[in-house]
Amino acid sequence: MNKNKVLLMLFFAILTVSVVSSCNKDDDDDDDMDMVEESIADDNTFADWASWTLEATESGPAPDLGAAHAGNDSTVTRQIYFKDGQDAVGGEYPVGTTILKHTYNPDETLHYMGMVKRGNDFYPDANNWEWFKLNEDGTIIERGAALNDGGCIGCHSSGNALDYVFSKN
């Protein structure tokens, strides 16, 4: 066999092995990225909440809420917005799911509260949800420990079978 033909065949064999192994490496990298997925909310996360999908409107007293979300106010309205209309997948909301609840009565807005499925084992006791107190423009007033430990989780833990979300299941 001609020496040039052997070198040419060897070159193509090496090239083929190189292409195949680089394709396999890319597939592995995509899997690794899924494993470390995390969504950390900032002041832009809730900024356009009024344009999100309005999933539920509740009015009047809600005895199961107690004082939370003005559950004892007969004049109150609660609107629950889901960013991108996100639905649960297999009974669980995906990382990045973002929800805002606007609570108001005819005289005033009482509060804006939010929750984000953060992921990455942020808060395993609440399936990695993080809760927020918000301004009307969606900027964050408060987040984290005070809301997660004893605050919001106090009630939302009763909905662990619904992935801690009551308004869309």
Side-chain angles (χ1 to χ4, degrees):
M1 197 179 227
N2 182 334
K3 182 177 170 183
N4 287 338
K5 284 184 181 179
V6 170
L7 288 175
L8 188 60
M9 287 175 33
L10 183 59
F11 169 77
F12 281 115
I14 291 170
L15 181 64
T16 301
V17 168
S18 175
V19 167
V20 168
S21 68
S22 71
C23 288
N24 288 339
K25 182 173 176 23
D26 288 345
D27 290 345
D28 291 344
D29 288 346
D30 289 344
D31 292 343
D32 291 343
M33 286 175 56
D34 290 343
M35 292 173 41
V36 295
E37 189 175 2
E38 185 171 23
S39 180
I40 301 173
D42 61 23
D43 279 340
N44 295 316
T45 301
F46 297 94
D48 60 346
W49 66 268
S51 68
W52 299 356
T53 305
L54 176 61
E55 293 289 350
T57 300
E58 303 162 351
S59 296
D64 57 320
L65 292 177
H69 304 289
N72 51 4
D73 185 341
S74 62
T75 66
V76 78
T77 299
R78 297 170 212 84
Q79 295 177 316
I80 300 95
Y81 294 84
F82 280 67
K83 189 172 192 172
D84 301 323
Q86 184 63 58
D87 291 319
V89 177
E92 188 171 310
Y93 287 90
V95 171
T97 298
T98 305
I99 305 167
L100 181 137
K101 182 180 272 190
H102 173 210
T103 302
Y104 60 94
N105 64 30
D107 298 323
E108 66 181 320
T109 285
L110 302 173
H111 62 260
Y112 298 88
M113 303 295 289
M115 53 193 290
V116 172
K117 184 73 167 274
R118 184 161 167 174
N120 204 21
D121 285 334
F122 164 73
Y123 191 58
D125 291 344
N127 204 22
N128 301 308
W129 284 100
E130 183 175 18
W131 283 272
F132 302 85
K133 285 185 183 178
L134 305 165
N135 290 308
E136 181 178 3
D137 66 359
T139 55
I140 297 169
I141 298 170
E142 185 179 353
R143 71 185 308 152
L147 298 173
N148 281 23
D149 296 333
C152 300
I153 190 61
C155 291
H156 281 264
S157 63
S158 68
N160 64 352
L162 305 170
D163 197 16
Y164 300 84
V165 176
F166 298 107
S167 53
K168 186 179 175 180
N169 282 300

